Structures are given as structure tokens and as C-alpha cells.
Short mmCIF file of all heavy atoms in Angstrom, two decimals:
data_model
loop_
_atom_site.label_atom_id
_atom_site.label_comp_id
_atom_site.label_asym_id
_atom_site.label_seq_id
_atom_site.Cartn_x
_atom_site.Cartn_y
_atom_site.Cartn_z
N ASP A 1 -6.43 -10.81 0.11
CA ASP A 1 -7.38 -9.75 -0.19
C ASP A 1 -7.88 -9.01 1.05
O ASP A 1 -8.76 -8.16 0.94
CB ASP A 1 -8.59 -10.33 -0.94
CG ASP A 1 -8.19 -10.92 -2.28
OD1 ASP A 1 -7.33 -10.32 -2.94
OD2 ASP A 1 -8.72 -11.98 -2.65
N ASP A 2 -7.31 -9.33 2.20
CA ASP A 2 -7.75 -8.69 3.44
C ASP A 2 -7.24 -7.26 3.46
O ASP A 2 -6.03 -7.01 3.51
CB ASP A 2 -7.22 -9.47 4.65
CG ASP A 2 -7.76 -8.94 5.96
OD1 ASP A 2 -7.40 -7.80 6.32
OD2 ASP A 2 -8.53 -9.66 6.61
N LEU A 3 -8.15 -6.29 3.43
CA LEU A 3 -7.75 -4.88 3.34
C LEU A 3 -7.02 -4.40 4.58
O LEU A 3 -6.10 -3.57 4.49
CB LEU A 3 -8.98 -4.00 3.08
CG LEU A 3 -9.67 -4.20 1.73
CD1 LEU A 3 -10.84 -3.25 1.59
CD2 LEU A 3 -8.68 -3.98 0.59
N THR A 4 -7.39 -4.92 5.75
CA THR A 4 -6.69 -4.53 6.98
C THR A 4 -5.23 -4.94 6.91
O THR A 4 -4.33 -4.17 7.26
CB THR A 4 -7.37 -5.14 8.21
OG1 THR A 4 -8.72 -4.68 8.28
CG2 THR A 4 -6.63 -4.77 9.48
N LEU A 5 -4.99 -6.18 6.45
CA LEU A 5 -3.61 -6.65 6.31
C LEU A 5 -2.86 -5.83 5.27
O LEU A 5 -1.70 -5.47 5.47
CB LEU A 5 -3.61 -8.13 5.91
CG LEU A 5 -4.04 -9.15 6.96
CD1 LEU A 5 -4.05 -10.55 6.34
CD2 LEU A 5 -3.12 -9.12 8.17
N LEU A 6 -3.51 -5.54 4.15
CA LEU A 6 -2.86 -4.79 3.09
C LEU A 6 -2.47 -3.39 3.57
O LEU A 6 -1.37 -2.90 3.29
CB LEU A 6 -3.78 -4.68 1.87
CG LEU A 6 -3.87 -5.93 0.98
CD1 LEU A 6 -5.01 -5.77 -0.02
CD2 LEU A 6 -2.55 -6.15 0.25
N ARG A 7 -3.40 -2.73 4.29
CA ARG A 7 -3.09 -1.39 4.80
C ARG A 7 -1.90 -1.42 5.73
O ARG A 7 -0.97 -0.60 5.63
CB ARG A 7 -4.30 -0.80 5.52
CG ARG A 7 -5.46 -0.42 4.63
CD ARG A 7 -6.54 0.30 5.43
NE ARG A 7 -7.84 0.11 4.83
CZ ARG A 7 -8.78 -0.68 5.30
NH1 ARG A 7 -8.60 -1.35 6.43
NH2 ARG A 7 -9.93 -0.81 4.67
N ARG A 8 -1.94 -2.34 6.68
CA ARG A 8 -0.85 -2.40 7.66
C ARG A 8 0.48 -2.74 6.99
O ARG A 8 1.52 -2.14 7.28
CB ARG A 8 -1.18 -3.43 8.75
CG ARG A 8 -0.16 -3.44 9.89
CD ARG A 8 -0.57 -4.45 10.96
NE ARG A 8 -1.70 -3.97 11.71
CZ ARG A 8 -1.61 -3.18 12.78
NH1 ARG A 8 -0.44 -2.74 13.18
NH2 ARG A 8 -2.69 -2.82 13.43
N ALA A 9 0.44 -3.69 6.05
CA ALA A 9 1.68 -4.08 5.36
C ALA A 9 2.22 -2.91 4.53
O ALA A 9 3.43 -2.68 4.48
CB ALA A 9 1.42 -5.29 4.47
N LEU A 10 1.32 -2.16 3.90
CA LEU A 10 1.75 -1.00 3.13
C LEU A 10 2.48 0.00 4.02
O LEU A 10 3.59 0.45 3.71
CB LEU A 10 0.55 -0.33 2.48
CG LEU A 10 0.85 1.04 1.84
CD1 LEU A 10 1.53 0.87 0.49
CD2 LEU A 10 -0.41 1.88 1.71
N LEU A 11 1.86 0.37 5.13
CA LEU A 11 2.42 1.40 5.99
C LEU A 11 3.75 0.97 6.60
O LEU A 11 4.69 1.76 6.69
CB LEU A 11 1.42 1.78 7.07
CG LEU A 11 0.08 2.34 6.57
CD1 LEU A 11 -0.85 2.63 7.73
CD2 LEU A 11 0.29 3.59 5.74
N ILE A 12 3.83 -0.29 7.02
CA ILE A 12 5.07 -0.79 7.60
C ILE A 12 6.19 -0.76 6.57
O ILE A 12 7.32 -0.32 6.85
CB ILE A 12 4.87 -2.21 8.14
CG1 ILE A 12 3.95 -2.21 9.36
CG2 ILE A 12 6.21 -2.85 8.49
CD1 ILE A 12 4.56 -1.63 10.61
N ASN A 13 5.90 -1.23 5.34
CA ASN A 13 6.95 -1.28 4.32
C ASN A 13 7.37 0.11 3.86
O ASN A 13 8.55 0.35 3.60
CB ASN A 13 6.50 -2.15 3.15
CG ASN A 13 6.65 -3.63 3.44
OD1 ASN A 13 7.76 -4.15 3.49
ND2 ASN A 13 5.55 -4.32 3.66
N VAL A 14 6.42 1.04 3.74
CA VAL A 14 6.80 2.42 3.42
C VAL A 14 7.68 2.98 4.54
O VAL A 14 8.69 3.63 4.29
CB VAL A 14 5.55 3.29 3.20
CG1 VAL A 14 5.95 4.77 3.11
CG2 VAL A 14 4.82 2.88 1.93
N GLY A 15 7.28 2.74 5.79
CA GLY A 15 8.06 3.23 6.91
C GLY A 15 9.48 2.68 6.95
O GLY A 15 10.40 3.34 7.43
N LEU A 16 9.67 1.49 6.40
CA LEU A 16 11.00 0.89 6.33
C LEU A 16 11.78 1.36 5.10
O LEU A 16 12.96 1.03 4.95
CB LEU A 16 10.89 -0.64 6.28
CG LEU A 16 10.48 -1.34 7.58
CD1 LEU A 16 10.11 -2.79 7.30
CD2 LEU A 16 11.61 -1.26 8.61
N GLY A 17 11.11 2.12 4.24
CA GLY A 17 11.77 2.53 3.00
C GLY A 17 11.74 1.48 1.92
O GLY A 17 12.43 1.59 0.91
N ARG A 18 10.90 0.45 2.10
CA ARG A 18 10.81 -0.62 1.11
C ARG A 18 9.72 -0.28 0.09
O ARG A 18 8.69 -0.94 -0.01
CB ARG A 18 10.45 -1.95 1.80
CG ARG A 18 11.48 -2.48 2.76
CD ARG A 18 10.95 -3.76 3.42
NE ARG A 18 11.92 -4.41 4.27
CZ ARG A 18 11.67 -5.55 4.94
NH1 ARG A 18 10.46 -6.12 4.84
NH2 ARG A 18 12.59 -6.10 5.69
N THR A 19 9.96 0.75 -0.70
CA THR A 19 8.90 1.20 -1.61
C THR A 19 8.66 0.20 -2.74
O THR A 19 7.55 0.14 -3.27
CB THR A 19 9.24 2.58 -2.18
OG1 THR A 19 10.59 2.58 -2.67
CG2 THR A 19 9.09 3.65 -1.11
N LYS A 20 9.67 -0.56 -3.12
CA LYS A 20 9.44 -1.57 -4.16
C LYS A 20 8.48 -2.65 -3.68
O LYS A 20 7.68 -3.17 -4.47
CB LYS A 20 10.78 -2.20 -4.57
CG LYS A 20 11.67 -1.27 -5.39
CD LYS A 20 12.92 -1.97 -5.86
CE LYS A 20 13.78 -1.04 -6.72
NZ LYS A 20 15.03 -1.70 -7.19
N VAL A 21 8.55 -2.98 -2.41
CA VAL A 21 7.60 -3.93 -1.84
C VAL A 21 6.24 -3.27 -1.67
O VAL A 21 5.19 -3.90 -1.88
CB VAL A 21 8.12 -4.45 -0.48
CG1 VAL A 21 7.09 -5.38 0.18
CG2 VAL A 21 9.44 -5.17 -0.66
N ALA A 22 6.24 -1.99 -1.29
CA ALA A 22 4.99 -1.29 -1.00
C ALA A 22 4.17 -0.99 -2.25
O ALA A 22 2.94 -0.92 -2.19
CB ALA A 22 5.29 0.01 -0.25
N LEU A 23 4.82 -0.78 -3.40
CA LEU A 23 4.10 -0.38 -4.61
C LEU A 23 3.01 -1.37 -5.01
O LEU A 23 1.86 -0.97 -5.26
CB LEU A 23 5.07 -0.15 -5.76
CG LEU A 23 5.71 1.24 -5.79
CD1 LEU A 23 6.91 1.26 -6.72
CD2 LEU A 23 4.68 2.29 -6.22
N PRO A 24 3.29 -2.68 -5.10
CA PRO A 24 2.20 -3.60 -5.45
C PRO A 24 1.09 -3.64 -4.40
O PRO A 24 -0.08 -3.84 -4.74
CB PRO A 24 2.89 -4.96 -5.60
CG PRO A 24 4.23 -4.81 -4.97
CD PRO A 24 4.60 -3.38 -5.06
N LEU A 25 1.44 -3.44 -3.13
CA LEU A 25 0.42 -3.38 -2.08
C LEU A 25 -0.47 -2.17 -2.29
O LEU A 25 -1.70 -2.24 -2.14
CB LEU A 25 1.08 -3.32 -0.70
CG LEU A 25 1.98 -4.50 -0.31
CD1 LEU A 25 2.70 -4.20 1.01
CD2 LEU A 25 1.16 -5.79 -0.19
N ALA A 26 0.15 -1.03 -2.65
CA ALA A 26 -0.62 0.18 -2.91
C ALA A 26 -1.57 -0.02 -4.09
O ALA A 26 -2.73 0.41 -4.06
CB ALA A 26 0.34 1.34 -3.20
N LYS A 27 -1.10 -0.67 -5.13
CA LYS A 27 -1.95 -0.92 -6.31
C LYS A 27 -3.14 -1.80 -5.95
O LYS A 27 -4.25 -1.57 -6.44
CB LYS A 27 -1.11 -1.56 -7.41
CG LYS A 27 -0.09 -0.62 -8.02
CD LYS A 27 0.79 -1.32 -9.04
CE LYS A 27 1.85 -0.38 -9.61
NZ LYS A 27 2.77 -1.07 -10.55
N ARG A 28 -2.92 -2.79 -5.10
CA ARG A 28 -4.02 -3.67 -4.70
C ARG A 28 -5.05 -2.91 -3.87
O ARG A 28 -6.26 -3.11 -4.02
CB ARG A 28 -3.46 -4.87 -3.93
CG ARG A 28 -2.75 -5.86 -4.84
CD ARG A 28 -1.77 -6.76 -4.10
NE ARG A 28 -2.42 -7.64 -3.16
CZ ARG A 28 -1.75 -8.46 -2.35
NH1 ARG A 28 -0.41 -8.49 -2.40
NH2 ARG A 28 -2.38 -9.26 -1.52
N LEU A 29 -4.58 -2.01 -3.00
CA LEU A 29 -5.52 -1.23 -2.20
C LEU A 29 -6.33 -0.28 -3.08
O LEU A 29 -7.55 -0.14 -2.92
CB LEU A 29 -4.76 -0.43 -1.15
CG LEU A 29 -4.32 -1.19 0.10
CD1 LEU A 29 -3.35 -0.36 0.93
CD2 LEU A 29 -5.53 -1.57 0.96
N VAL A 30 -5.67 0.37 -4.02
CA VAL A 30 -6.37 1.30 -4.90
C VAL A 30 -7.36 0.55 -5.78
O VAL A 30 -8.47 1.03 -6.03
CB VAL A 30 -5.36 2.11 -5.72
CG1 VAL A 30 -6.06 2.93 -6.79
CG2 VAL A 30 -4.56 3.03 -4.80
N ALA A 31 -6.96 -0.62 -6.26
CA ALA A 31 -7.88 -1.43 -7.08
C ALA A 31 -9.13 -1.81 -6.30
O ALA A 31 -10.21 -1.95 -6.88
CB ALA A 31 -7.16 -2.68 -7.58
N ALA A 32 -8.97 -1.97 -4.99
CA ALA A 32 -10.12 -2.30 -4.12
C ALA A 32 -10.88 -1.05 -3.69
O ALA A 32 -11.77 -1.14 -2.85
CB ALA A 32 -9.63 -3.06 -2.90
N LYS A 33 -10.50 0.11 -4.28
CA LYS A 33 -11.14 1.40 -3.98
C LYS A 33 -11.07 1.72 -2.49
O LYS A 33 -12.02 2.22 -1.88
CB LYS A 33 -12.60 1.41 -4.47
CG LYS A 33 -12.72 1.16 -5.96
CD LYS A 33 -14.12 1.40 -6.46
CE LYS A 33 -14.25 1.05 -7.94
NZ LYS A 33 -13.31 1.80 -8.80
N ASP A 34 -9.90 1.43 -1.90
CA ASP A 34 -9.72 1.66 -0.47
C ASP A 34 -9.52 3.13 -0.15
O ASP A 34 -9.89 3.59 0.92
CB ASP A 34 -8.53 0.84 0.04
CG ASP A 34 -8.31 0.99 1.53
OD1 ASP A 34 -9.15 0.49 2.31
OD2 ASP A 34 -7.32 1.64 1.93
N GLY A 35 -8.89 3.88 -1.05
CA GLY A 35 -8.68 5.31 -0.82
C GLY A 35 -7.63 5.64 0.20
O GLY A 35 -7.63 6.75 0.76
N ASN A 36 -6.70 4.72 0.45
CA ASN A 36 -5.65 4.98 1.44
C ASN A 36 -4.75 6.12 0.97
O ASN A 36 -4.18 6.05 -0.13
CB ASN A 36 -4.83 3.71 1.65
CG ASN A 36 -3.78 3.87 2.73
OD1 ASN A 36 -2.73 4.44 2.49
ND2 ASN A 36 -4.07 3.37 3.91
N PRO A 37 -4.57 7.19 1.75
CA PRO A 37 -3.79 8.36 1.30
C PRO A 37 -2.34 8.03 1.00
O PRO A 37 -1.76 8.58 0.06
CB PRO A 37 -3.91 9.35 2.45
CG PRO A 37 -5.10 8.92 3.23
CD PRO A 37 -5.19 7.44 3.07
N VAL A 38 -1.73 7.17 1.80
CA VAL A 38 -0.33 6.82 1.56
C VAL A 38 -0.20 6.03 0.27
O VAL A 38 0.72 6.26 -0.53
CB VAL A 38 0.25 6.04 2.76
CG1 VAL A 38 1.68 5.59 2.47
CG2 VAL A 38 0.22 6.88 4.02
N ALA A 39 -1.12 5.09 0.04
CA ALA A 39 -1.09 4.31 -1.20
C ALA A 39 -1.23 5.22 -2.41
O ALA A 39 -0.47 5.11 -3.39
CB ALA A 39 -2.22 3.27 -1.18
N LEU A 40 -2.18 6.13 -2.37
CA LEU A 40 -2.42 7.02 -3.51
C LEU A 40 -1.25 7.96 -3.75
O LEU A 40 -0.85 8.20 -4.89
CB LEU A 40 -3.71 7.81 -3.28
CG LEU A 40 -5.00 6.98 -3.35
CD1 LEU A 40 -6.16 7.76 -2.74
CD2 LEU A 40 -5.31 6.60 -4.80
N THR A 41 -0.66 8.48 -2.67
CA THR A 41 0.47 9.40 -2.82
C THR A 41 1.69 8.66 -3.34
O THR A 41 2.44 9.19 -4.18
CB THR A 41 0.78 10.10 -1.49
OG1 THR A 41 -0.41 10.73 -1.00
CG2 THR A 41 1.85 11.16 -1.67
N LEU A 42 1.92 7.44 -2.87
CA LEU A 42 3.04 6.65 -3.38
C LEU A 42 2.89 6.38 -4.87
O LEU A 42 3.84 6.54 -5.65
CB LEU A 42 3.13 5.33 -2.61
CG LEU A 42 4.16 4.31 -3.14
CD1 LEU A 42 5.56 4.89 -3.13
CD2 LEU A 42 4.10 3.02 -2.31
N LEU A 43 1.69 6.01 -5.30
CA LEU A 43 1.46 5.75 -6.72
C LEU A 43 1.62 7.02 -7.54
O LEU A 43 2.16 6.99 -8.66
CB LEU A 43 0.07 5.14 -6.92
CG LEU A 43 -0.13 3.73 -6.36
CD1 LEU A 43 -1.56 3.27 -6.59
CD2 LEU A 43 0.84 2.74 -6.98
N ALA A 44 1.16 8.14 -7.01
CA ALA A 44 1.32 9.41 -7.72
C ALA A 44 2.79 9.77 -7.86
O ALA A 44 3.25 10.18 -8.94
CB ALA A 44 0.57 10.52 -7.00
N ALA A 45 3.54 9.63 -6.78
CA ALA A 45 4.97 9.96 -6.82
C ALA A 45 5.71 9.04 -7.79
O ALA A 45 6.58 9.49 -8.55
CB ALA A 45 5.57 9.84 -5.42
N ASP A 46 5.37 7.78 -7.77
CA ASP A 46 6.03 6.83 -8.66
C ASP A 46 5.69 7.14 -10.12
O ASP A 46 6.56 7.03 -11.00
CB ASP A 46 5.60 5.40 -8.32
CG ASP A 46 6.55 4.36 -8.89
OD1 ASP A 46 7.73 4.37 -8.51
OD2 ASP A 46 6.10 3.54 -9.72
#
């Protein structure tokens, strides 16, 4: 549940093109009302 870890893991996995791994991380960040732009844009695109 560490938001710092979730943010960093999201960005690294998106940067690697691992969107299947990044999607659940994005959902967890949004559920925590983090407002991360990459997470929200990934979820919107998906």
C-alpha cells in the first residue's frame, strides 16, 4: 500500500511497455485517490 512504491513501479513498468503489469498498479493508485496523471491516462486509454 506504499504510494511511493506504487508510483515508481507504475512509471517504470509503463516505461518498459509492460502495460499489463502497470494496469493493476494504476487501479490501486486511483483507488487511493492519488491522482497520478500517468495512472489516470493509462486507465482512460484502456
Side-chain angles (χ1 to χ4, degrees):
D1 298 321
D2 186 292
L3 294 181
T4 300
L5 289 177
L6 282 169
R7 289 187 207 106
R8 186 178 288 273
L10 170 79
L11 299 178
I12 291 289
N13 280 289
V14 170
L16 287 168
R18 296 177 175 181
T19 49
K20 288 185 178 179
V21 176
L23 276 165
L25 299 173
K27 291 176 182 177
R28 287 158 65 184
L29 281 169
V30 171
K33 301 189 184 304
D34 182 69
N36 184 281
V38 176
L40 290 164
T41 306
L42 173 59
L43 292 178
D46 198 61

